[in-house]
Amino acid sequence: KRIKQYMSVNDFMEVFKIIKSIVNAYHDSKNLNIDDYFTDLLPNIGMYLRVAYRKSGDATRNQIINWMDELEKQKYYENYYLEDIIKNVRICI
């Protein structure tokens, strides 16, 4: 809900911060790979991340790229769905 609010006012840095926080929270809680609710959220998260990347300025894009690079180094936290959405965002680059 909050992501949609920030999208509507073109605050893509906040959109990115929320997405990153969600992913990291699930990873930190050790629920990233076992929580069906998170898995169900991933298509929407991927869509919002792609839009944020495409529509944002250079500073936000660079932060998104750096985060995706870090996820890649960590093998996407061993989550195939997360890997898939990140690779789809990379297609935009």
Side-chain angles (χ1 to χ4, degrees):
K1 198 173 192 180
R2 184 76 65 196
I3 289 174
K4 288 180 183 179
Q5 291 171 339
Y6 285 117
M7 294 280 281
S8 69
V9 296
N10 298 325
D11 191 343
F12 300 111
M13 177 58 86
E14 289 302 315
V15 170
F16 168 61
K17 287 178 185 177
I18 293 169
I19 290 169
K20 182 178 175 183
S21 295
I22 291 168
V23 170
N24 289 338
Y26 271 94
H27 173 67
D28 292 347
S29 70
K30 309 284 190 248
N31 288 317
L32 184 67
N33 290 305
I34 59 172
D35 191 289
D36 288 337
Y37 181 74
F38 179 75
T39 301
D40 292 344
L41 284 178
L42 280 169
N44 286 337
I45 288 172
M47 175 190 62
Y48 293 136
L49 187 59
R50 279 190 307 277
V51 171
Y53 178 82
R54 286 196 328 264
K55 301 289 186 182
S56 64
D58 289 339
T60 302
R61 276 193 202 125
N62 288 335
Q63 287 196 27
I64 293 171
I65 289 170
N66 290 338
W67 182 62
M68 292 189 306
D69 289 346
E70 193 60 36
L71 287 174
E72 188 174 356
K73 287 178 190 171
Q74 300 199 23
K75 300 187 189 291
Y76 308 97
Y77 301 140
E78 303 297 335
N79 184 288
Y80 297 123
Y81 303 112
L82 179 59
E83 179 180 354
D84 188 58
I85 67 166
I86 297 301
K87 289 189 180 250
N88 282 331
V89 173
R90 287 208 184 270
I91 291 171
C92 298
I93 297 175

